[in-house]
Structures are given as structure tokens and as C-alpha cells.
Amino acid sequence: MTEKNTFVRMASDPASLIISSEDENATMGDGVTHQDNVSADIMDRLDRMAEISESKKHLTRRCFTPQHRQVITLVSGWMRDAGMKVWEDATGNLMGRYEGTDDKAPAILLGSHLDSVVKAGKYDGPLGILAAIDCVKALNIRNARLKNPIEVACFTDEEGVRFQSTYLGSRGIAGTFDFNLLNRADKDDITLAEAMTDFGLDTDRIGEAARQKGDFLCYLEVHIEQGPVLESEDLAVCAVTAIAGADRMTVTATGKAGHAGTVPMGARQDALAAAAECVLTVEEVAAAHPYAVGTVGQIEAEHGATNVIPGKVVFSVDFRAADDAVRREAVNDLTKRFEDIANRRNVDIVLEQSHSADGVTSAPWIVDAIEDAMTDLGHRPFKLPSGAGHDAAALAEITDVGMIFVRCKDGISHNPDESITREDAIAGAELLLRTVERIGGLET
Ligand code: GLV
Ligand code: MN
Ligand code: MN
């Protein structure tokens, strides 16, 4: 790693905010568990991160907001405390590094994302970041170094809520940042370029965030499962085999606004009625394709009023499938059916693709290492594919990837009711550490 490639500026020193003497004095003596020492405060830290929100009523933390800056300040203190050198890269990713014994060895990259959906749960993202910090802290407390350095990435924007810019930070690192996004505006008409500049970044230097193939041995991420399988299997953790691909689109239906009392039904060009048919078509097309899921999560009728026939409606489509070919075929089918709805209803329907990512497979050697580590720790080896997207999908461009899932209550996620137990959070952090210890000594 060269400073030139990755360093933009250090976040301000938050040490007074965050370092507890308990953290500093922790030791890992005989009979003292990881849980007693390293992860003792993981749930408190998750709560503290969740307090940093754009809304007082619920957790919303979008990229490049003051809350993003605040959470960077908080977490960077924990990273320094764990023994890492800390910096912020050219796409706003908060990065840390814990050196290994071989300065030429590629780093093991760990991490997750700092941003959230609107009205989020506390664990989607932050759990992976805290597990990664724990892992470094556990080594540092024992004064232990692996052959490989460890880097921790706290990604800028995985959810893509503000700019439909999914994987923004991890794509920055992978060298696949989409520069067309810079002109995309959020709901307040602030472009991504403006938001990044206001955040203190230089958009001319975005390319400097890119790392090379060979910089990393692999990327590992701990994440809540966001589904119900681990609970039904009575398992705290498992390995992840693959991450499903996804397409996201913004669809605009344009008809003709008119008087709700005077225009006969046969003469209408109702954009909302057309959009409603499209929404049900998304459901039908997804149901007709194996392991496909389709969602319309946002819809807005412009200048909507009780007594106005809607003239323009904008809605989102999120479409995923385990198999990329199935997803492509389904999205093709969807596009044709939208065309048919447009013709039949005399409404214009325009689809704009905002995100597309193919599915990614975890490296088999990493899945094996995680399952071996599970055995070491007394867990029954188990693996699952992920229907949700993760930064690992972007990082797969430059390195092997693998993930660990942690059980969450009732499989609920992207919802304030997201819930995990302290024991499971610690099990995830411990499994990450064990996996890293197993692979950190491998010859590359
Ligand atoms: C990220 O959480 C996604 O899969 O949408
Ligand atoms: Mn999410
Ligand atoms: Mn996530």
C-alpha cells in the first residue's frame, strides 16, 4: 500500500469520544474468553452507531451526510484503539491497517458498510465493521501478527439509497467506480459530485481509491443473514456460498393529468393506473422465474391530489435472481410487458437502469476455511447463498471473497425490528477471527 494511492486525509481524532480504559486494559489470559475481553462492548457499540441518524424517530444514515461524517469519527477512534493506522480514501471509505510480519504479503481485507436504508435496523453493516475491528483488537491485545497485514474497510455506501449508487465505496476500491453517477441528484437536487465535495473529497482524485489485483489476499465480511434459515437450523453462524445478482431501475410513467370529475374513463391516460399494473407485473414475472424476486419499493405520483388524474408517476424496480441468465431473461420479459402496458394504456413508460450487478460466488477455499473454523469453534458447518447484495460482490473484481452470516430474529432486516443476540454477534466476530487466523498464515 502506498500513501499516494490511498490516503486523502485522516479523520479528526475522536479519541476523547470513544476510548474506554476497559478497552485498553483488556488482556487475553488463560481461561479468559474472547467474549469476556474483546467483544465485551459489541452491542453497546452497535447501539452507539445506531444513535447516529438523520432522523430522531428512526435510523437513517445515508452516504455523505453529516451523520456519515459523525459515524466515521466514532468508528475511526475504535479502529485506532484496536491498533490500526487509519485513513479515509478518495471515495470516503474509512480504512484501517494492522501490519503483518511480511510487508510484501497481500492484505486480508475485512469490513462492511456504514450507510443504512431509510428506517433501518441497527445491524445491517455495522455488525461486520465491529466484527472486523474486534478481530484486529484480539490480535493486538495478544501482540500477535499474522503473516498478512489486515485492512478494515468501512464502506461509504452499499445500500445506494441516496443516489441509487449501490456499492459506491467498494467499487471505488475495486476500480469500477461509475463516474456517470457524479451527475446523479438526490431527492434534494444535490448531485453526488456536490455531496462528495461537501464531504471534503476531491472528485478528481476518485481514481486514487482503486487498489490493485494482488493488494489483497481476500475480502471477508460478517453480516446478518437477513433471512430465517439460520434460526430454523438452530445455528448462530454459517458460511456464504454466493451473492445473488441484481438489477435496479427507475421507471417513469407519463400520461396526462386531468380533472378527476370530468374526464370519462375511456379517455384517460392515467399514469398511476399504468404504474399499478406494472407493479403487479413485477410480482408475476418474478413468481414465474425460478428463485427470482422482484420488488417495487418506491412509488410517487407527481403533484398527486385526490381530484387529479395522475399525469406522471416514478417508481423503482429491484429485481434479483440466484442465476444471472434467469435474471436477465426475466428483466427482458418485464421490459416487454411494460411496453405492452404502455401501448394499451396510451402512457409512456421509460426504464432507466440505476444498478446492475451479476451474481458472485465465494471462493471455495474461503468457504472451506470458514467451515473449518466453525468446526474449530464447535459449530456445525453449514453454508447458505445470499439473496441480498453485499460489498463483496464489487470486491470480487479484484480479489477472492467470502462471507459469514450471523442469525437474526425471524429473518427480519431493512426494518427497525432487526434483532440479533449478543451471543450471536460474538459468535460471528469469533468465527471471523478464527478464519483470519487460519488463512493469515497461508502461502500466497
Ligand atoms: C442491500 O442490502 C441489498 O441487497 O439491497
Ligand atoms: Mn442492507
Ligand atoms: Mn448490508
Side-chain angles (χ1 to χ4, degrees), residues 135-166:
C135 177
V136 173
K137 188 170 160 186
L139 293 168
N140 194 36
I141 284 171
R142 294 185 316 213
N143 213 7
R145 305 245 166 214
L146 305 175
K147 176 183 157 209
N148 303 82
I150 297 176
E151 290 197 25
V152 174
C154 308
F155 297 112
T156 294
D157 175 46
E158 182 262 8
E159 305 286 4
V161 166
R162 186 169 177 192
F163 295 103
Q164 289 76 53
S165 49
T166 318

Side-chain angles (χ1 to χ4, degrees), residues 37-171:
N37 259 299
V38 180
S39 306
D41 48 9
I42 196 162
M43 299 309 269
D44 291 344
R45 286 181 172 191
L46 286 161
D47 287 345
R48 288 177 68 182
M49 288 178 75
E51 280 164 16
I52 302 177
S53 169
E54 293 172 59
S55 159
K56 285 200 165 40
K57 294 197 188 127
H58 50 73
L59 169 57
T60 298
R61 195 171 53 237
R62 297 168 306 151
C63 63
F64 305 129
T65 55
Q67 291 70 29
H68 182 190
R69 172 59 63 210
Q70 233 182 309
V71 83
I72 282 182
T73 303
L74 178 66
V75 174
S76 61
W78 292 334
M79 289 167 76
R80 281 199 198 92
D81 170 45
M84 283 179 254
K85 174 180 139 196
V86 176
W87 72 98
E88 194 177 314
D89 80 5
T91 49
N93 297 311
L94 169 63
M95 305 292 296
R97 183 168 167 109
Y98 182 74
E99 295 300 339
T101 56
D102 177 354
D103 61 7
K104 297 213 170 40
I108 297 171
L109 181 64
L110 311 177
S112 196
H113 55 100
L114 288 171
D115 68 313
S116 80
V117 292
V118 175
K119 221 171 168 189
K122 295 181 196 172
Y123 309 105
D124 174 359
L127 177 66
I129 286 170
L130 294 178
I133 295 173
D134 247 26
C135 177
V136 173
K137 188 170 160 186
L139 293 168
N140 194 36
I141 284 171
R142 294 185 316 213
N143 213 7
R145 305 245 166 214
L146 305 175
K147 176 183 157 209
N148 303 82
I150 297 176
E151 290 197 25
V152 174
C154 308
F155 297 112
T156 294
D157 175 46
E158 182 262 8
E159 305 286 4
V161 166
R162 186 169 177 192
F163 295 103
Q164 289 76 53
S165 49
T166 318
Y167 305 151
L168 194 96
S170 43
R171 282 189 166 157

Side-chain angles (χ1 to χ4, degrees), residues 37 40 59 63 68 78 90 100 159-160 162 191 200 210 247 250 343 346 350 356 364 424:
N37 259 299
L59 169 57
C63 63
H68 182 190
W78 292 334
E159 305 286 4
R162 186 169 177 192
T191 63
D247 283 303
T250 302
N343 290 336
N346 200 13
V350 176
S356 186
D424 288 357

Side-chain angles (χ1 to χ4, degrees), residues 117-353:
V117 292
V118 175
K119 221 171 168 189
K122 295 181 196 172
Y123 309 105
D124 174 359
L127 177 66
I129 286 170
L130 294 178
I133 295 173
D134 247 26
C135 177
V136 173
K137 188 170 160 186
L139 293 168
N140 194 36
I141 284 171
R142 294 185 316 213
N143 213 7
R145 305 245 166 214
L146 305 175
K147 176 183 157 209
N148 303 82
I150 297 176
E151 290 197 25
V152 174
C154 308
F155 297 112
T156 294
D157 175 46
E158 182 262 8
E159 305 286 4
V161 166
R162 186 169 177 192
F163 295 103
Q164 289 76 53
S165 49
T166 318
Y167 305 151
L168 194 96
S170 43
R171 282 189 166 157
I173 291 181
T176 56
F177 185 94
D178 177 1
F179 288 87
N180 294 319
L181 288 174
L182 288 171
N183 294 323
R184 199 176 275 175
D186 69 3
K187 65 178 172 47
D188 300 315
D189 255 349
I190 298 167
T191 63
L192 174 60
E194 288 164 345
M196 289 181 79
T197 305
D198 289 351
F199 201 68
L201 298 168
D202 178 349
T203 52
D204 289 338
R205 297 181 64 182
I206 286 171
E208 295 176 15
R211 304 291 291 274
Q212 309 302 314
K213 276 190 179 150
D215 280 357
F216 301 120
L217 174 65
C218 62
Y219 172 68
L220 294 175
E221 176 170 350
V222 173
H223 204 282
I224 55 167
E225 181 202 341
Q226 306 182 279
V229 180
L230 286 180
E231 206 168 47
S232 67
E233 291 284 335
D234 195 23
L235 278 171
V237 286
C238 77
V240 176
T241 53
I243 299 167
D247 283 303
R248 290 185 183 175
M249 286 159 279
T250 302
V251 185
T252 306
T254 311
K256 198 170 195 136
H259 197 295
T262 57
V263 184
M265 295 311 285
R268 294 185 178 209
Q269 290 170 263
D270 184 331
L272 186 52
E277 204 178 329
C278 292
V279 173
L280 295 178
T281 304
V282 170
E283 250 192 355
E284 269 173 34
V285 170
H289 289 83
Y291 303 107
V293 284
T295 306
V296 175
Q298 282 176 309
I299 186 161
E300 194 173 340
E302 197 178 81
H303 311 306
T306 319
N307 57 352
V308 179
I309 300 163
K312 183 172 171 187
V313 171
V314 180
F315 62 96
S316 62
V317 176
D318 180 306
F319 208 96
R320 312 183 191 210
D323 183 308
D324 291 332
V326 169
R327 189 185 86 248
R328 276 191 272 275
E329 183 196 292
V331 169
N332 216 4
D333 185 13
L334 195 63
T335 310
K336 287 201 190 109
R337 295 199 39 192
F338 279 12
E339 257 173 49
D340 173 53
I341 294 167
N343 290 336
R344 219 172 350 93
R345 290 181 166 272
N346 200 13
V347 165
D348 263 358
I349 297 182
V350 176
L351 282 77
E352 191 196 339
Q353 181 113 32

